[in-house]
Amino acid sequence: MISIAEAIQIVLAHSPRLTVEEVKLSLARGRILAQDIVADTDLPPFDRAQMDGYAVRAADVAIAPAKLRIVGESAAGAGWHHEMKEGEAVRIMTGAPVPAGADAVQQVELTRENDSQVEVLEPVELGRSIVRQASEIKSGENVLRAGEEINAEVIATLASFGYAKVKVGQRPRVAVMATGSELVDVDKKPAQDQIRDSNNYTIAAYAEMSNAIVECLPLAGDDTGELKRQISRATERCDVLITSGGVSMGVYDFTKGALKELGAEIFFERVSLRPGKPTVFARLGNTLVFGLPGNPVSVSVTFNLFVRATLRAMQGATRTTLVHDHAVLARNLKGSVDRESYLPAVLRTDEKGVLLAEPLKWGGSSDFVSFARATALINLPAGEKMIDKGSNVRVVRLPGCS
């Protein structure tokens, strides 16, 4: 049995980088950048007004009130491109170019316009309400690095610097297969001793959030021969195969045996993790294979610790693992003597702005109903029998939960 840190290291060491492709900016959200992004212009590209008002010379209004002659107007997209002289002012809008000769903008609320004159009611200091050209970014600077994820904010940056197309990491092809003769699909009424499959849907959802192209395979029963046939067919057309169930030590746990009979290279098959100890990571041909435990909560935990890291690494992401944060424990929590724990919780902020982790009351690794409320996982080291309320604990936010 290996540690979680060792397992993640092994996973990343065996995750091949996929090829690069170019996509339209409109299709780039969620993808991983495969190129550095360079500014093709200064930002702002000109001295820009921060608010509506009047472009003036600060010296002209040092003694206020002061009356100035209005000689033009500068609006966003329609600047006044002349030189402003002593005793003159230009009406200006937020985002508009500041005309040559002006060195300050007085806000409109501190002025009074009358015909072709404006009375500036208070002095304004040099440079007031002007954002200088290139004060944010200079042309030629790197603004984004390869390996960053393209979110809505990043798309704004790409668009601003003219990237109509962008190079990204290729999306991994993922096949998902739930195993177990007790499973029926979601549209079927379970007979005696049967349950509906939820793992295929959970894994597919998580994989799509990791930007994979997902194929859900038919449910596989507890039959080694059939499992071997399905696994062989799947690995011929995917980069990653994710199975759930059949990886523990029971009489009816066939998945691990099927992988071994097919000649898969097993990298690890037990992790010091609660929940999710019987997790398998292997390679069959050129396909990586994850055998996740069958219990739904274990599926969620092990996917987000191990599979997500692989899918992001294959796309070239700089940040592959979940980011750890710290929170104050909202109530006592039982740990594990022999295994590191990742336990479901809800994060909230108290009236003082302190981040609190509220452990969920859950009935174990099969309690998917309670887990549905989780926004984070509390990470407890092995050997911690009981953690007291008020303790500082490590947490990771689940994908899609802010």
Side-chain angles (χ1 to χ4, degrees):
M1 189 159 61
I2 64 173
S3 70
I4 295 171
E6 288 175 294
I8 291 173
Q9 188 175 19
I10 291 169
V11 161
L12 294 177
H14 291 90
S15 298
R17 176 77 181 271
L18 298 178
T19 58
V20 171
E21 61 185 0
E22 192 172 59
V23 298
K24 292 181 179 179
L25 181 59
S26 59
L27 302 175
R29 187 178 66 83
R31 305 296 293 270
I32 304 298
L33 273 174
Q35 65 180 115
D36 292 341
I37 300 302
V38 178
D40 69 343
T41 182
D42 292 337
L43 194 65
F46 44 77
D47 290 351
R48 183 179 66 198
Q50 278 187 306
M51 58 180 60
D52 293 345
Y54 291 86
V56 299
R57 288 159 33 102
D60 288 345
V61 295
I63 299 175
K67 291 185 177 180
L68 304 173
R69 184 166 62 91
I70 301 171
V71 294
E73 179 178 278
S74 183
W80 188 80
H81 298 293
H82 308 281
E83 185 169 359
M84 203 181 74
K85 298 180 175 59
E86 182 180 354
E88 296 179 341
V90 169
R91 188 184 301 111
I92 197 164
M93 313 305 169
T94 302
V98 176
D103 55 22
V105 172
Q106 181 59 289
Q107 65 192 75
V108 68
E109 293 85 356
L110 299 178
T111 65
R112 188 162 47 228
E113 184 175 333
N114 183 21
D115 295 330
S116 61
Q117 283 192 329
V118 60
E119 185 177 13
V120 179
L121 304 177
E122 292 184 11
V124 59
E125 63 268 24
L126 193 69
R128 176 70 180 272
S129 300
I130 296 176
V131 182
R132 294 298 181 188
Q133 180 174 346
S135 60
E136 297 170 4
I137 295 293
K138 291 183 179 179
S139 180
E141 279 189 44
N142 279 332
V143 292
L144 297 168
R145 295 288 185 183
E148 295 187 46
E149 182 173 345
I150 302 174
N151 55 25
E153 294 76 20
V154 169
I155 283 178
T157 300
L158 294 170
S160 295
F161 294 118
Y163 284 84
K165 293 183 178 180
V166 64
K167 293 178 181 178
V168 296
Q170 192 177 58
R171 298 170 65 191
R173 298 164 302 157
V174 170
V176 181
M177 182 175 69
T179 71
S181 296
E182 76 278 13
L183 298 177
V184 296
D185 211 340
V186 65
D187 59 348
K188 301 292 192 300
K189 180 74 173 176
Q192 186 176 6
D193 302 327
Q194 291 182 325
I195 58 172
R196 289 190 178 97
D197 164 50
S198 63
N199 287 342
N200 260 0
Y201 297 93
T202 301
I203 294 170
Y206 277 134
E208 287 172 354
M209 289 173 70
S210 300
N211 219 33
I213 300 169
V214 181
E215 177 187 6
C216 286
L217 303 178
L219 298 174
D222 294 324
D223 178 274
T224 302
E226 180 57 28
L227 275 172
K228 288 167 63 177
R229 284 189 289 274
Q230 288 211 41
I231 290 171
S232 293
R233 287 196 294 266
T235 55
E236 291 174 357
R237 61 181 189 271
C238 67
D239 302 303
V240 181
L241 170 63
I242 310 168
T243 70
S244 59
V247 291
S248 192
M249 304 295 288
V251 175
Y252 290 96
D253 290 320
F254 295 102
T255 304
K256 189 164 57 179
L259 287 171
K260 289 180 177 179
E261 289 185 24
L262 286 168
E265 182 180 5
I266 308 292
F267 298 118
F268 61 77
E269 52 188 279
R270 296 177 76 207
V271 182
S272 182
L273 168 63
R274 169 178 174 249
K277 180 172 71 172
T279 298
V280 174
F281 176 53
R283 181 170 56 206
L284 183 57
N286 294 321
T287 300
L288 297 179
V289 182
F290 286 92
L292 307 185
N295 283 325
V297 178
S298 297
V299 162
S300 294
V301 171
T302 53
F303 182 98
N304 283 300
L305 288 179
F306 307 124
V307 186
R308 180 179 181 273
T310 280
L311 298 180
R312 290 180 63 82
M314 295 175 86
Q315 296 171 77
T318 303
R319 180 178 291 173
T320 55
T321 57
L322 295 171
V323 179
H324 283 82
D325 200 348
H326 287 85
V328 174
L329 196 60
R331 63 177 178 84
N332 295 345
L333 181 62
K334 184 179 178 181
S336 173
V337 174
D338 60 344
R339 285 182 284 163
E340 188 175 346
S341 300
Y342 277 83
L343 305 176
V346 173
L347 295 182
R348 58 183 175 87
T349 305
D350 68 10
E351 62 277 3
K352 295 180 180 178
V354 176
L355 184 64
L356 301 178
E358 179 78 42
L360 288 176
K361 295 179 181 178
W362 62 304
S365 58
S366 62
D367 190 356
F368 56 85
V369 175
S370 294
F371 190 82
R373 295 179 50 239
T375 60
L377 302 172
I378 298 173
N379 176 210
L380 301 179
E384 298 281 355
K385 293 183 180 180
M386 182 65 68
I387 312 298
D388 294 332
K389 174 183 176 181
S391 298
N392 196 37
V393 292
R394 294 179 82 203
V395 296
V396 291
R397 297 178 190 270
L398 290 167
C401 299
S402 57

